[in-house]
Amino acid sequence: MQVLIKRNWQYILYKENQKYFLEVICGGAAMFELKISLNSEEIDDYLSHGEIFIDKLAEKIRNSPGEYLDRKDEK
């Protein structure tokens, strides 16, 4: 596993075996982590725009985690 970006108490982006994963801290009083595998479009956007894209994606996930639950990675 290669950590690419780590923002404490926000998210971690890492790469493992050519796959990219984003773990985002969600919730208020009851905090939880939501880990998703980036799709090909998101990977392209990250490679083109870097941290700015990941910051925005993490914020979207944090604000609406229910929209990403079907992409949750259990590994």
Side-chain angles (χ1 to χ4, degrees), residues 5-46:
I5 305 171
K6 183 175 182 180
R7 295 208 186 269
N8 289 332
W9 296 103
Q10 293 184 40
Y11 67 83
I12 300 173
L13 174 70
Y14 62 93
K15 184 177 179 181
E16 186 174 332
N17 299 326
Q18 304 305 313
K19 290 183 119 182
Y20 290 80
F21 297 94
L22 183 60
E23 289 185 21
V24 180
I25 303 293
C26 301
M31 296 173 68
F32 63 96
E33 280 186 357
L34 180 56
K35 175 182 167 186
I36 66 164
S37 176
L38 271 60
N39 62 35
S40 59
E41 183 179 333
E42 291 164 341
I43 293 168
D44 289 344
D45 285 342
Y46 164 63

